[in-house]
Amino acid sequence: MKICGLQKTTLLDFPGHVAATVFLNGCNFRCPFCHNKDLLDSQAAELLTQGELLSFLKKRSSVLEGVCISGGEPTLYKEELVKFIDSIKELGYLVKLDTNGYQPALLESLCRKQLLDYIAMDIKSGRFHYAQVCGVSSLDVTVIEESAKFLMMGTVPYEFRTTTVKGLHTAADFEDISLWIGGCSQYFLQSFTDSGNVLKDGFASFNRKELEDFLLIVQKTIPHAQIRGVDSLH
């Protein structure tokens, strides 16, 4: 497991808490709009060791409340991830996990062990073309459905989120998402932003009106759904 990025302080990634965000390398998806393509490379340079990260967290304990673990896809590391989170929890931190939901058994185990305090799970698209949006040749969507179903039981606070990308998403996606996760506690539409480091060039964002139309679709079953982080859109 490589720690390939560290945001030392964030007020946005962990709702309600001052946190640091750790980026692990490796992912089982190849979403063409991924804005962290460097993290997909198994040869990505390690920024710091786990020991160095824990030392940093010890020093920052009077400032930080939580740690967000992101990627890449952290759940690829399985038992190594369990030990890593356990070490962070021993320092008294809250832990948030970002995940694509493809490891439901591990997700449930982490929750049952009370190692997670918040989970953000990506809902990449409607289920009918999930593999395409994830950039893989084949994908078992039922595995992702299993993770979503578990989270909706409310064992741990969670959110679902979809990064909307023109050329990949249509209204039909949000019709299906509204059927799939209807009644969930939190769902956010996020606009694609070209970071300059995306996996594949040529994608664009929807405008505000288009996002608001998608929002109206999902609000039929998820009344509290919101658009997040798009103040600059027209």
Side-chain angles (χ1 to χ4, degrees), residues 65-115:
E65 302 168 290
V67 177
C68 307
I69 302 176
S70 190
E73 176 50 46
T75 62
L76 292 180
Y77 293 101
K78 300 184 179 180
E79 288 306 313
E80 194 173 356
L81 178 66
V82 175
K83 294 176 182 177
F84 180 52
I85 295 175
D86 195 45
S87 297
I88 295 172
K89 295 290 285 184
E90 286 180 357
L91 297 178
Y93 283 97
L94 301 171
V95 174
K96 176 203 172 198
L97 179 71
D98 292 342
T99 182
N100 61 25
Y102 210 67
Q103 301 286 343
L106 177 60
L107 197 61
E108 182 170 351
S109 176
L110 288 167
C111 292
R112 300 298 185 196
K113 292 176 180 177
Q114 300 184 333
L115 291 177

mmCIF file of all heavy atoms in Angstrom, residues 65-115:
data_model
loop_
_atom_site.group_PDB
_atom_site.id
_atom_site.type_symbol
_atom_site.label_atom_id
_atom_site.label_comp_id
_atom_site.label_asym_id
_atom_site.label_seq_id
_atom_site.Cartn_x
_atom_site.Cartn_y
_atom_site.Cartn_z
ATOM 1 N N GLU A 65 -9.421 16.593 13.381
ATOM 2 C CA GLU A 65 -10.388 15.706 14.023
ATOM 3 C C GLU A 65 -10.538 14.381 13.294
ATOM 4 O O GLU A 65 -10.889 13.371 13.894
ATOM 5 C CB GLU A 65 -11.758 16.380 14.065
ATOM 6 C CG GLU A 65 -11.787 17.706 14.796
ATOM 7 C CD GLU A 65 -13.091 18.436 14.557
ATOM 8 O OE1 GLU A 65 -13.320 18.899 13.421
ATOM 9 O OE2 GLU A 65 -13.886 18.533 15.512
ATOM 10 N N GLY A 66 -10.303 14.421 11.981
ATOM 11 C CA GLY A 66 -10.541 13.230 11.189
ATOM 12 C C GLY A 66 -9.526 13.027 10.092
ATOM 13 O O GLY A 66 -8.752 13.918 9.757
ATOM 14 N N VAL A 67 -9.566 11.819 9.522
ATOM 15 C CA VAL A 67 -8.721 11.467 8.387
ATOM 16 C C VAL A 67 -9.611 10.866 7.303
ATOM 17 O O VAL A 67 -10.388 9.939 7.568
ATOM 18 C CB VAL A 67 -7.635 10.440 8.777
ATOM 19 C CG1 VAL A 67 -6.816 10.028 7.548
ATOM 20 C CG2 VAL A 67 -6.719 11.028 9.853
ATOM 21 N N CYS A 68 -9.522 11.410 6.101
ATOM 22 C CA CYS A 68 -10.222 10.860 4.939
ATOM 23 C C CYS A 68 -9.247 9.965 4.185
ATOM 24 O O CYS A 68 -8.129 10.387 3.880
ATOM 25 C CB CYS A 68 -10.696 11.972 4.017
ATOM 26 S SG CYS A 68 -11.678 13.233 4.828
ATOM 27 N N ILE A 69 -9.676 8.765 3.872
ATOM 28 C CA ILE A 69 -8.846 7.839 3.105
ATOM 29 C C ILE A 69 -9.463 7.706 1.722
ATOM 30 O O ILE A 69 -10.583 7.234 1.565
ATOM 31 C CB ILE A 69 -8.738 6.477 3.799
ATOM 32 C CG1 ILE A 69 -8.158 6.647 5.206
ATOM 33 C CG2 ILE A 69 -7.866 5.524 2.982
ATOM 34 C CD1 ILE A 69 -8.110 5.369 6.011
ATOM 35 N N SER A 70 -8.706 8.141 0.729
ATOM 36 C CA SER A 70 -9.220 8.192 -0.625
ATOM 37 C C SER A 70 -8.221 7.549 -1.571
ATOM 38 O O SER A 70 -7.290 6.875 -1.159
ATOM 39 C CB SER A 70 -9.494 9.665 -1.006
ATOM 40 O OG SER A 70 -10.198 9.753 -2.219
ATOM 41 N N GLY A 71 -8.429 7.724 -2.868
ATOM 42 C CA GLY A 71 -7.534 7.094 -3.832
ATOM 43 C C GLY A 71 -7.674 7.712 -5.197
ATOM 44 O O GLY A 71 -8.006 8.897 -5.310
ATOM 45 N N GLY A 72 -7.514 6.824 -6.207
ATOM 46 C CA GLY A 72 -7.491 5.376 -6.173
ATOM 47 C C GLY A 72 -8.704 4.760 -5.482
ATOM 48 O O GLY A 72 -9.700 5.400 -5.227
ATOM 49 N N GLU A 73 -8.541 3.481 -5.186
ATOM 50 C CA GLU A 73 -9.578 2.739 -4.462
ATOM 51 C C GLU A 73 -8.966 2.047 -3.253
ATOM 52 O O GLU A 73 -8.294 1.013 -3.364
ATOM 53 C CB GLU A 73 -10.245 1.716 -5.371
ATOM 54 C CG GLU A 73 -11.276 0.829 -4.684
ATOM 55 C CD GLU A 73 -12.298 1.618 -3.858
ATOM 56 O OE1 GLU A 73 -12.821 2.636 -4.368
ATOM 57 O OE2 GLU A 73 -12.564 1.220 -2.719
ATOM 58 N N PRO A 74 -9.170 2.612 -2.041
ATOM 59 C CA PRO A 74 -8.533 2.079 -0.833
ATOM 60 C C PRO A 74 -8.867 0.626 -0.520
ATOM 61 O O PRO A 74 -8.034 -0.091 0.048
ATOM 62 C CB PRO A 74 -9.048 3.014 0.275
ATOM 63 C CG PRO A 74 -9.417 4.281 -0.429
ATOM 64 C CD PRO A 74 -9.931 3.849 -1.773
ATOM 65 N N THR A 75 -10.080 0.172 -0.865
ATOM 66 C CA THR A 75 -10.491 -1.175 -0.448
ATOM 67 C C THR A 75 -9.746 -2.285 -1.187
ATOM 68 O O THR A 75 -9.894 -3.462 -0.833
ATOM 69 C CB THR A 75 -12.009 -1.380 -0.613
ATOM 70 O OG1 THR A 75 -12.358 -1.237 -1.995
ATOM 71 C CG2 THR A 75 -12.782 -0.371 0.214
ATOM 72 N N LEU A 76 -8.946 -1.953 -2.180
ATOM 73 C CA LEU A 76 -8.120 -2.966 -2.838
ATOM 74 C C LEU A 76 -7.137 -3.599 -1.860
ATOM 75 O O LEU A 76 -6.674 -4.718 -2.078
ATOM 76 C CB LEU A 76 -7.337 -2.351 -4.004
ATOM 77 C CG LEU A 76 -8.135 -1.883 -5.219
ATOM 78 C CD1 LEU A 76 -7.176 -1.314 -6.263
ATOM 79 C CD2 LEU A 76 -8.940 -3.016 -5.819
ATOM 80 N N TYR A 77 -6.825 -2.884 -0.778
ATOM 81 C CA TYR A 77 -5.771 -3.334 0.138
ATOM 82 C C TYR A 77 -6.268 -4.256 1.238
ATOM 83 O O TYR A 77 -5.473 -4.802 2.000
ATOM 84 C CB TYR A 77 -5.052 -2.121 0.731
ATOM 85 C CG TYR A 77 -4.268 -1.376 -0.320
ATOM 86 C CD1 TYR A 77 -4.761 -0.205 -0.879
ATOM 87 C CD2 TYR A 77 -3.057 -1.873 -0.776
ATOM 88 C CE1 TYR A 77 -4.047 0.466 -1.871
ATOM 89 C CE2 TYR A 77 -2.342 -1.201 -1.758
ATOM 90 C CZ TYR A 77 -2.846 -0.044 -2.299
ATOM 91 O OH TYR A 77 -2.144 0.611 -3.273
ATOM 92 N N LYS A 78 -7.568 -4.387 1.362
ATOM 93 C CA LYS A 78 -8.185 -5.371 2.252
ATOM 94 C C LYS A 78 -7.589 -5.360 3.660
ATOM 95 O O LYS A 78 -7.696 -4.370 4.366
ATOM 96 C CB LYS A 78 -8.147 -6.749 1.591
ATOM 97 C CG LYS A 78 -8.910 -6.768 0.271
ATOM 98 C CD LYS A 78 -8.987 -8.131 -0.360
ATOM 99 C CE LYS A 78 -9.775 -8.083 -1.667
ATOM 100 N NZ LYS A 78 -9.874 -9.392 -2.316
ATOM 101 N N GLU A 79 -6.935 -6.444 4.102
ATOM 102 C CA GLU A 79 -6.467 -6.533 5.483
ATOM 103 C C GLU A 79 -5.428 -5.471 5.815
ATOM 104 O O GLU A 79 -5.338 -4.997 6.951
ATOM 105 C CB GLU A 79 -5.894 -7.925 5.766
ATOM 106 C CG GLU A 79 -6.959 -9.005 5.860
ATOM 107 C CD GLU A 79 -8.048 -8.665 6.875
ATOM 108 O OE1 GLU A 79 -7.699 -8.247 8.010
ATOM 109 O OE2 GLU A 79 -9.236 -8.798 6.550
ATOM 110 N N GLU A 80 -4.650 -5.088 4.831
ATOM 111 C CA GLU A 80 -3.681 -4.019 5.053
ATOM 112 C C GLU A 80 -4.396 -2.709 5.369
ATOM 113 O O GLU A 80 -3.947 -1.930 6.211
ATOM 114 C CB GLU A 80 -2.794 -3.858 3.820
ATOM 115 C CG GLU A 80 -1.552 -3.018 4.060
ATOM 116 C CD GLU A 80 -0.612 -3.007 2.878
ATOM 117 O OE1 GLU A 80 -0.875 -3.718 1.891
ATOM 118 O OE2 GLU A 80 0.394 -2.275 2.945
ATOM 119 N N LEU A 81 -5.516 -2.488 4.707
ATOM 120 C CA LEU A 81 -6.316 -1.294 4.984
ATOM 121 C C LEU A 81 -6.903 -1.354 6.384
ATOM 122 O O LEU A 81 -6.931 -0.342 7.095
ATOM 123 C CB LEU A 81 -7.430 -1.163 3.950
ATOM 124 C CG LEU A 81 -8.377 0.026 4.137
ATOM 125 C CD1 LEU A 81 -7.651 1.346 3.934
ATOM 126 C CD2 LEU A 81 -9.575 -0.072 3.173
ATOM 127 N N VAL A 82 -7.363 -2.515 6.791
ATOM 128 C CA VAL A 82 -7.918 -2.683 8.139
ATOM 129 C C VAL A 82 -6.889 -2.278 9.190
ATOM 130 O O VAL A 82 -7.188 -1.513 10.124
ATOM 131 C CB VAL A 82 -8.375 -4.136 8.366
ATOM 132 C CG1 VAL A 82 -8.839 -4.326 9.813
ATOM 133 C CG2 VAL A 82 -9.500 -4.520 7.407
ATOM 134 N N LYS A 83 -5.680 -2.761 9.050
ATOM 135 C CA LYS A 83 -4.615 -2.441 10.010
ATOM 136 C C LYS A 83 -4.269 -0.952 9.984
ATOM 137 O O LYS A 83 -4.010 -0.334 11.016
ATOM 138 C CB LYS A 83 -3.379 -3.277 9.704
ATOM 139 C CG LYS A 83 -3.582 -4.772 9.936
ATOM 140 C CD LYS A 83 -2.348 -5.568 9.530
ATOM 141 C CE LYS A 83 -2.580 -7.060 9.708
ATOM 142 N NZ LYS A 83 -1.402 -7.856 9.256
ATOM 143 N N PHE A 84 -4.273 -0.389 8.781
ATOM 144 C CA PHE A 84 -3.968 1.027 8.611
ATOM 145 C C PHE A 84 -5.002 1.895 9.325
ATOM 146 O O PHE A 84 -4.655 2.807 10.089
ATOM 147 C CB PHE A 84 -3.939 1.335 7.113
ATOM 148 C CG PHE A 84 -3.645 2.763 6.764
ATOM 149 C CD1 PHE A 84 -2.541 3.424 7.277
ATOM 150 C CD2 PHE A 84 -4.481 3.453 5.883
ATOM 151 C CE1 PHE A 84 -2.266 4.744 6.921
ATOM 152 C CE2 PHE A 84 -4.211 4.759 5.528
ATOM 153 C CZ PHE A 84 -3.102 5.411 6.053
ATOM 154 N N ILE A 85 -6.284 1.586 9.115
ATOM 155 C CA ILE A 85 -7.339 2.357 9.762
ATOM 156 C C ILE A 85 -7.279 2.171 11.270
ATOM 157 O O ILE A 85 -7.458 3.124 12.044
ATOM 158 C CB ILE A 85 -8.718 1.958 9.216
ATOM 159 C CG1 ILE A 85 -8.824 2.330 7.733
ATOM 160 C CG2 ILE A 85 -9.840 2.623 10.014
ATOM 161 C CD1 ILE A 85 -10.106 1.865 7.073
ATOM 162 N N ASP A 86 -7.018 0.959 11.706
ATOM 163 C CA ASP A 86 -6.923 0.686 13.141
ATOM 164 C C ASP A 86 -5.842 1.550 13.788
ATOM 165 O O ASP A 86 -6.031 2.086 14.879
ATOM 166 C CB ASP A 86 -6.637 -0.797 13.363
ATOM 167 C CG ASP A 86 -6.875 -1.218 14.804
ATOM 168 O OD1 ASP A 86 -7.905 -0.824 15.389
ATOM 169 O OD2 ASP A 86 -6.014 -1.922 15.358
ATOM 170 N N SER A 87 -4.728 1.719 13.103
ATOM 171 C CA SER A 87 -3.631 2.548 13.623
ATOM 172 C C SER A 87 -4.057 4.011 13.740
ATOM 173 O O SER A 87 -3.687 4.706 14.699
ATOM 174 C CB SER A 87 -2.405 2.446 12.709
ATOM 175 O OG SER A 87 -1.912 1.130 12.669
ATOM 176 N N ILE A 88 -4.836 4.468 12.773
ATOM 177 C CA ILE A 88 -5.320 5.854 12.807
ATOM 178 C C ILE A 88 -6.333 6.033 13.933
ATOM 179 O O ILE A 88 -6.307 7.029 14.664
ATOM 180 C CB ILE A 88 -5.940 6.226 11.447
ATOM 181 C CG1 ILE A 88 -4.859 6.212 10.359
ATOM 182 C CG2 ILE A 88 -6.615 7.597 11.510
ATOM 183 C CD1 ILE A 88 -5.399 6.379 8.957
ATOM 184 N N LYS A 89 -7.217 5.050 14.097
ATOM 185 C CA LYS A 89 -8.223 5.133 15.160
ATOM 186 C C LYS A 89 -7.579 5.130 16.536
ATOM 187 O O LYS A 89 -8.069 5.774 17.466
ATOM 188 C CB LYS A 89 -9.203 3.961 15.047
ATOM 189 C CG LYS A 89 -10.049 3.955 13.777
ATOM 190 C CD LYS A 89 -11.085 5.072 13.773
ATOM 191 C CE LYS A 89 -12.238 4.755 14.700
ATOM 192 N NZ LYS A 89 -13.302 5.793 14.632
ATOM 193 N N GLU A 90 -6.470 4.419 16.670
ATOM 194 C CA GLU A 90 -5.768 4.372 17.957
ATOM 195 C C GLU A 90 -5.252 5.746 18.374
ATOM 196 O O GLU A 90 -5.022 5.993 19.561
ATOM 197 C CB GLU A 90 -4.614 3.374 17.894
ATOM 198 C CG GLU A 90 -5.070 1.919 17.920
ATOM 199 C CD GLU A 90 -3.905 0.954 17.856
ATOM 200 O OE1 GLU A 90 -2.742 1.410 17.726
ATOM 201 O OE2 GLU A 90 -4.149 -0.275 17.937
ATOM 202 N N LEU A 91 -5.080 6.630 17.398
ATOM 203 C CA LEU A 91 -4.644 7.997 17.703
ATOM 204 C C LEU A 91 -5.818 8.900 18.068
ATOM 205 O O LEU A 91 -5.626 10.078 18.359
ATOM 206 C CB LEU A 91 -3.901 8.590 16.502
ATOM 207 C CG LEU A 91 -2.602 7.883 16.092
ATOM 208 C CD1 LEU A 91 -2.013 8.550 14.851
ATOM 209 C CD2 LEU A 91 -1.598 7.897 17.234
ATOM 210 N N GLY A 92 -7.029 8.351 18.030
ATOM 211 C CA GLY A 92 -8.208 9.112 18.430
ATOM 212 C C GLY A 92 -8.919 9.830 17.304
ATOM 213 O O GLY A 92 -9.809 10.654 17.556
ATOM 214 N N TYR A 93 -8.586 9.510 16.060
ATOM 215 C CA TYR A 93 -9.187 10.188 14.921
ATOM 216 C C TYR A 93 -10.464 9.508 14.441
ATOM 217 O O TYR A 93 -10.592 8.284 14.518
ATOM 218 C CB TYR A 93 -8.208 10.234 13.746
ATOM 219 C CG TYR A 93 -7.125 11.287 13.888
ATOM 220 C CD1 TYR A 93 -5.864 10.955 14.366
ATOM 221 C CD2 TYR A 93 -7.376 12.614 13.538
ATOM 222 C CE1 TYR A 93 -4.877 11.918 14.491
ATOM 223 C CE2 TYR A 93 -6.391 13.584 13.666
ATOM 224 C CZ TYR A 93 -5.148 13.235 14.137
ATOM 225 O OH TYR A 93 -4.176 14.188 14.268
ATOM 226 N N LEU A 94 -11.362 10.320 13.917
ATOM 227 C CA LEU A 94 -12.479 9.815 13.135
ATOM 228 C C LEU A 94 -11.953 9.462 11.740
ATOM 229 O O LEU A 94 -11.012 10.083 11.251
ATOM 230 C CB LEU A 94 -13.580 10.868 13.012
ATOM 231 C CG LEU A 94 -14.180 11.379 14.332
ATOM 232 C CD1 LEU A 94 -15.097 12.573 14.058
ATOM 233 C CD2 LEU A 94 -14.928 10.273 15.044
ATOM 234 N N VAL A 95 -12.570 8.482 11.097
ATOM 235 C CA VAL A 95 -12.100 8.049 9.779
ATOM 236 C C VAL A 95 -13.256 8.037 8.780
ATOM 237 O O VAL A 95 -14.314 7.463 9.041
ATOM 238 C CB VAL A 95 -11.455 6.650 9.838
ATOM 239 C CG1 VAL A 95 -11.103 6.159 8.430
ATOM 240 C CG2 VAL A 95 -10.201 6.677 10.706
ATOM 241 N N LYS A 96 -13.004 8.673 7.644
ATOM 242 C CA LYS A 96 -13.940 8.647 6.517
ATOM 243 C C LYS A 96 -13.283 7.865 5.377
ATOM 244 O O LYS A 96 -12.084 8.013 5.123
ATOM 245 C CB LYS A 96 -14.252 10.053 6.040
ATOM 246 C CG LYS A 96 -15.144 10.095 4.793
ATOM 247 C CD LYS A 96 -14.963 11.410 4.045
ATOM 248 C CE LYS A 96 -15.705 11.367 2.713
ATOM 249 N NZ LYS A 96 -15.228 12.403 1.792
ATOM 250 N N LEU A 97 -14.073 7.040 4.698
ATOM 251 C CA LEU A 97 -13.576 6.259 3.577
ATOM 252 C C LEU A 97 -14.294 6.657 2.300
ATOM 253 O O LEU A 97 -15.520 6.712 2.254
ATOM 254 C CB LEU A 97 -13.796 4.772 3.831
ATOM 255 C CG LEU A 97 -13.343 3.820 2.717
ATOM 256 C CD1 LEU A 97 -11.820 3.765 2.632
ATOM 257 C CD2 LEU A 97 -13.915 2.419 2.941
ATOM 258 N N ASP A 98 -13.529 6.925 1.248
ATOM 259 C CA ASP A 98 -14.074 7.107 -0.095
ATOM 260 C C ASP A 98 -13.931 5.794 -0.841
ATOM 261 O O ASP A 98 -12.841 5.209 -0.868
ATOM 262 C CB ASP A 98 -13.301 8.192 -0.853
ATOM 263 C CG ASP A 98 -13.502 9.583 -0.287
ATOM 264 O OD1 ASP A 98 -14.468 9.783 0.464
ATOM 265 O OD2 ASP A 98 -12.691 10.466 -0.595
ATOM 266 N N THR A 99 -15.002 5.331 -1.489
ATOM 267 C CA THR A 99 -14.945 4.024 -2.137
ATOM 268 C C THR A 99 -15.858 3.950 -3.357
ATOM 269 O O THR A 99 -16.848 4.681 -3.449
ATOM 270 C CB THR A 99 -15.323 2.906 -1.148
ATOM 271 O OG1 THR A 99 -15.211 1.627 -1.786
ATOM 272 C CG2 THR A 99 -16.743 3.094 -0.621
ATOM 273 N N ASN A 100 -15.517 3.037 -4.263
ATOM 274 C CA ASN A 100 -16.390 2.779 -5.408
ATOM 275 C C ASN A 100 -17.391 1.661 -5.123
ATOM 276 O O ASN A 100 -18.209 1.315 -5.961
ATOM 277 C CB ASN A 100 -15.581 2.469 -6.672
ATOM 278 C CG ASN A 100 -14.700 1.229 -6.552
ATOM 279 O OD1 ASN A 100 -14.957 0.320 -5.764
ATOM 280 N ND2 ASN A 100 -13.639 1.182 -7.352
ATOM 281 N N GLY A 101 -17.305 1.066 -3.934
ATOM 282 C CA GLY A 101 -18.301 0.089 -3.516
ATOM 283 C C GLY A 101 -18.120 -1.315 -4.052
ATOM 284 O O GLY A 101 -19.023 -2.144 -3.924
ATOM 285 N N TYR A 102 -16.926 -1.613 -4.592
ATOM 286 C CA TYR A 102 -16.767 -2.927 -5.224
ATOM 287 C C TYR A 102 -16.270 -4.012 -4.271
ATOM 288 O O TYR A 102 -16.003 -5.130 -4.698
ATOM 289 C CB TYR A 102 -15.833 -2.815 -6.432
ATOM 290 C CG TYR A 102 -16.153 -3.816 -7.521
ATOM 291 C CD1 TYR A 102 -17.345 -3.716 -8.234
ATOM 292 C CD2 TYR A 102 -15.298 -4.859 -7.824
ATOM 293 C CE1 TYR A 102 -17.671 -4.631 -9.223
ATOM 294 C CE2 TYR A 102 -15.614 -5.782 -8.818
ATOM 295 C CZ TYR A 102 -16.800 -5.665 -9.512
ATOM 296 O OH TYR A 102 -17.118 -6.574 -10.492
ATOM 297 N N GLN A 103 -16.153 -3.679 -2.993
ATOM 298 C CA GLN A 103 -15.730 -4.666 -1.993
ATOM 299 C C GLN A 103 -16.740 -4.667 -0.836
ATOM 300 O O GLN A 103 -16.427 -4.253 0.282
ATOM 301 C CB GLN A 103 -14.321 -4.338 -1.466
ATOM 302 C CG GLN A 103 -13.240 -4.292 -2.512
ATOM 303 C CD GLN A 103 -12.835 -5.679 -2.997
ATOM 304 O OE1 GLN A 103 -13.130 -6.689 -2.355
ATOM 305 N NE2 GLN A 103 -12.167 -5.730 -4.133
ATOM 306 N N PRO A 104 -17.957 -5.124 -1.071
ATOM 307 C CA PRO A 104 -18.999 -5.017 -0.041
ATOM 308 C C PRO A 104 -18.673 -5.764 1.249
ATOM 309 O O PRO A 104 -19.012 -5.294 2.339
ATOM 310 C CB PRO A 104 -20.245 -5.584 -0.723
ATOM 311 C CG PRO A 104 -19.731 -6.408 -1.859
ATOM 312 C CD PRO A 104 -18.474 -5.740 -2.310
ATOM 313 N N ALA A 105 -18.032 -6.925 1.150
ATOM 314 C CA ALA A 105 -17.719 -7.693 2.364
ATOM 315 C C ALA A 105 -16.745 -6.931 3.244
ATOM 316 O O ALA A 105 -16.895 -6.880 4.475
ATOM 317 C CB ALA A 105 -17.156 -9.063 1.989
ATOM 318 N N LEU A 106 -15.732 -6.327 2.635
ATOM 319 C CA LEU A 106 -14.762 -5.542 3.393
ATOM 320 C C LEU A 106 -15.420 -4.297 3.981
ATOM 321 O O LEU A 106 -15.185 -3.945 5.140
ATOM 322 C CB LEU A 106 -13.587 -5.144 2.505
ATOM 323 C CG LEU A 106 -12.528 -4.251 3.155
ATOM 324 C CD1 LEU A 106 -11.900 -4.941 4.359
ATOM 325 C CD2 LEU A 106 -11.453 -3.872 2.142
ATOM 326 N N LEU A 107 -16.263 -3.655 3.201
ATOM 327 C CA LEU A 107 -16.963 -2.464 3.683
ATOM 328 C C LEU A 107 -17.797 -2.791 4.914
ATOM 329 O O LEU A 107 -17.754 -2.072 5.926
ATOM 330 C CB LEU A 107 -17.856 -1.934 2.561
ATOM 331 C CG LEU A 107 -18.376 -0.508 2.682
ATOM 332 C CD1 LEU A 107 -17.245 0.488 2.730
ATOM 333 C CD2 LEU A 107 -19.316 -0.211 1.513
ATOM 334 N N GLU A 108 -18.520 -3.880 4.852
ATOM 335 C CA GLU A 108 -19.342 -4.276 5.988
ATOM 336 C C GLU A 108 -18.483 -4.650 7.191
ATOM 337 O O GLU A 108 -18.786 -4.282 8.330
ATOM 338 C CB GLU A 108 -20.240 -5.455 5.609
ATOM 339 C CG GLU A 108 -21.161 -5.887 6.733
ATOM 340 C CD GLU A 108 -22.209 -6.883 6.292
ATOM 341 O OE1 GLU A 108 -22.346 -7.136 5.077
ATOM 342 O OE2 GLU A 108 -22.908 -7.406 7.181
ATOM 343 N N SER A 109 -17.375 -5.339 6.955
ATOM 344 C CA SER A 109 -16.488 -5.731 8.044
ATOM 345 C C SER A 109 -15.903 -4.514 8.750
ATOM 346 O O SER A 109 -15.857 -4.462 9.987
ATOM 347 C CB SER A 109 -15.356 -6.606 7.496
ATOM 348 O OG SER A 109 -14.430 -6.924 8.512
ATOM 349 N N LEU A 110 -15.485 -3.523 7.992
ATOM 350 C CA LEU A 110 -14.933 -2.294 8.587
ATOM 351 C C LEU A 110 -15.975 -1.592 9.449
ATOM 352 O O LEU A 110 -15.657 -1.082 10.525
ATOM 353 C CB LEU A 110 -14.444 -1.354 7.487
ATOM 354 C CG LEU A 110 -13.173 -1.769 6.742
ATOM 355 C CD1 LEU A 110 -12.985 -0.917 5.491
ATOM 356 C CD2 LEU A 110 -11.949 -1.661 7.651
ATOM 357 N N CYS A 111 -17.211 -1.598 8.985
ATOM 358 C CA CYS A 111 -18.281 -0.960 9.750
ATOM 359 C C CYS A 111 -18.600 -1.748 11.010
ATOM 360 O O CYS A 111 -18.784 -1.170 12.093
ATOM 361 C CB CYS A 111 -19.535 -0.811 8.889
ATOM 362 S SG CYS A 111 -19.374 0.354 7.526
ATOM 363 N N ARG A 112 -18.671 -3.065 10.887
ATOM 364 C CA ARG A 112 -18.980 -3.901 12.042
ATOM 365 C C ARG A 112 -17.903 -3.792 13.116
ATOM 366 O O ARG A 112 -18.182 -3.914 14.312
ATOM 367 C CB ARG A 112 -19.132 -5.361 11.612
ATOM 368 C CG ARG A 112 -20.237 -5.632 10.593
ATOM 369 C CD ARG A 112 -21.615 -5.280 11.105
ATOM 370 N NE ARG A 112 -22.654 -5.673 10.152
ATOM 371 C CZ ARG A 112 -23.900 -5.221 10.195
ATOM 372 N NH1 ARG A 112 -24.272 -4.360 11.136
ATOM 373 N NH2 ARG A 112 -24.792 -5.626 9.298
ATOM 374 N N LYS A 113 -16.673 -3.561 12.675
ATOM 375 C CA LYS A 113 -15.553 -3.399 13.619
ATOM 376 C C LYS A 113 -15.453 -1.974 14.161
ATOM 377 O O LYS A 113 -14.542 -1.660 14.915
ATOM 378 C CB LYS A 113 -14.245 -3.780 12.941
ATOM 379 C CG LYS A 113 -14.124 -5.255 12.612
ATOM 380 C CD LYS A 113 -12.829 -5.555 11.853
ATOM 381 C CE LYS A 113 -12.721 -7.043 11.529
ATOM 382 N NZ LYS A 113 -11.500 -7.355 10.734
ATOM 383 N N GLN A 114 -16.389 -1.120 13.753
ATOM 384 C CA GLN A 114 -16.450 0.279 14.187
ATOM 385 C C GLN A 114 -15.173 1.036 13.832
ATOM 386 O O GLN A 114 -14.698 1.882 14.591
ATOM 387 C CB GLN A 114 -16.751 0.362 15.690
ATOM 388 C CG GLN A 114 -18.072 -0.279 16.065
ATOM 389 C CD GLN A 114 -18.405 -0.121 17.533
ATOM 390 O OE1 GLN A 114 -17.537 0.011 18.386
ATOM 391 N NE2 GLN A 114 -19.695 -0.139 17.846
ATOM 392 N N LEU A 115 -14.642 0.755 12.646
ATOM 393 C CA LEU A 115 -13.434 1.428 12.189
ATOM 394 C C LEU A 115 -13.739 2.612 11.276
ATOM 395 O O LEU A 115 -12.830 3.384 10.951
ATOM 396 C CB LEU A 115 -12.519 0.440 11.452
ATOM 397 C CG LEU A 115 -11.874 -0.637 12.334
ATOM 398 C CD1 LEU A 115 -11.052 -1.601 11.482
ATOM 399 C CD2 LEU A 115 -10.981 0.010 13.397
#
